[in-house]
Amino acid sequence: MKNNIHILRIVLLISLFSCKKDIKPKGIEPNIESKTNIVEVKKNKISNIERDSTLELQKVDLIYTISDKQIDTLIGFCNCEKNVKDNTLKIQIRTEFPPLSELKKGNRNATEFQMGIPRQYRFLTFYLRDSIVEKTKIFKASTESQFENKKIDSTSIKNYEIKISRFDYKIAQNVWGNYELELTNPFGFVENDFKVKGTFHCNNWKIVEYEELPDWTIKGNNYIE
């Protein structure tokens, strides 16, 4: 009788283990819908900037362009222009991709470090003074006339959340963070991508201002850096 009970216990343990093994954790399976919820920017939120000393420095800055149906990824290049006396910092994250005519053909190939090809640029730009965001801008430039028959454009970003490692801007390389933006016009990489999320890590370099955008509309033999 004791042997039968012992055998029964073993069978029950094996059955229980087999059942647990068949149950897959929800987080392991790819789920586009849940990913969208993670990166979604809340509508009608109050724009703000927040200091967060626990932020981790990312090895590569990525930009996520988000629509209701699609999320895509671009590489960001961050330049930061500081003024130590006034403790101001201009943070600018630049990215690029094929112009509108190429995107309509389905060409979504990377354009970085290639010469003599058409492309367009985005410059996400935050103007900070101490813990205050003085203004936020998105500059646009293209080698073709695609912004109401113009090659450059500029709009303000009114809905944003920025997290930054510090409010002391004396050493630019010690400044990094992340951001979530909701745009009034599409970012332009995927259809209806009104939402953008990404990270940044500052260096100490001059940013591109609106007046300099025409320099980025020339499809020449030199790559502009």
Side-chain angles (χ1 to χ4, degrees):
M1 183 69 177
K2 289 183 178 180
N3 290 337
N4 291 338
I5 294 174
H6 182 67
I7 293 172
L8 180 60
R9 287 177 177 174
I10 293 175
V11 172
L12 289 173
L13 285 173
I14 293 173
S15 300
L16 181 61
F17 177 76
S18 300
C19 290
K20 287 185 177 180
K21 189 175 180 181
D22 291 337
I23 299 174
K24 297 180 181 180
K26 293 181 180 180
I28 294 178
E29 297 182 1
N31 189 323
I32 296 176
E33 184 177 354
S34 62
K35 183 177 180 182
T36 303
N37 290 337
I38 291 172
V39 297
E40 183 177 3
V41 180
K42 297 178 181 179
K43 293 183 178 180
N44 301 321
K45 65 171 187 253
I46 299 175
S47 297
N48 71 334
I49 183 171
E50 174 186 341
R51 180 181 175 273
D52 187 348
S53 60
T54 67
L55 289 172
E56 295 184 0
L57 176 62
Q58 303 300 311
K59 293 182 179 179
V60 179
D61 288 326
L62 299 177
I63 298 174
Y64 298 95
T65 65
I66 307 158
S67 71
D68 292 336
K69 299 180 180 179
Q70 187 175 356
I71 300 173
D72 220 317
T73 309
L74 294 163
I75 296 177
F77 300 91
C78 182
N79 287 340
C80 297
E81 186 175 336
K82 68 180 181 180
N83 183 312
V84 174
K85 181 180 178 181
D86 298 333
N87 195 41
T88 62
L89 187 69
K90 302 174 184 177
I91 302 173
Q92 187 170 78
I93 306 101
R94 185 189 84 240
T95 193
E96 63 175 79
F97 45 90
L100 182 60
S101 62
E102 292 295 317
L103 291 177
K104 287 181 177 179
K105 297 176 186 177
N107 176 15
R108 302 169 63 81
N109 295 329
T111 59
E112 287 86 355
F113 308 111
Q114 299 186 50
M115 297 181 291
I117 65 170
R119 72 186 87 214
Q120 59 177 312
Y121 301 91
R122 297 292 183 273
F123 303 84
L124 299 172
T125 311
F126 312 137
Y127 298 81
L128 311 182
R129 179 185 297 274
D130 301 323
S131 60
I132 299 172
V133 180
E134 293 188 321
K135 57 182 177 179
T136 58
K137 293 283 187 178
I138 176 169
F139 299 142
K140 303 177 182 180
S142 177
T143 55
E144 62 181 34
S145 300
Q146 63 178 64
F147 310 114
E148 296 183 352
N149 295 321
K150 295 180 180 180
K151 291 187 176 182
I152 64 173
D153 192 17
S154 173
T155 57
S156 296
I157 304 170
K158 299 186 181 299
N159 202 343
Y160 58 83
E161 282 187 0
I162 301 171
K163 291 186 177 180
I164 195 166
S165 59
R166 64 185 60 220
F167 289 135
D168 183 351
Y169 308 134
K170 292 178 182 177
I171 303 176
Q173 290 184 337
N174 289 341
V175 180
W176 57 79
N178 59 52
Y179 56 89
E180 297 183 3
L181 314 172
E182 189 161 350
L183 309 177
T184 54
N185 298 305
F187 188 76
F189 187 55
V190 299
E191 187 176 1
N192 295 325
D193 50 357
F194 286 94
K195 301 172 185 178
V196 175
K197 176 179 179 177
T199 62
F200 63 86
H201 177 209
C202 280
N203 59 14
N204 188 17
W205 199 249
K206 188 178 182 298
I207 72 164
V208 177
E209 296 286 5
Y210 177 78
E211 294 76 17
E212 301 170 278
L213 290 179
D215 295 337
W216 294 75
T217 65
I218 303 168
K219 188 179 70 173
N221 293 322
N222 296 320
Y223 177 78
I224 301 176
E225 184 58 72

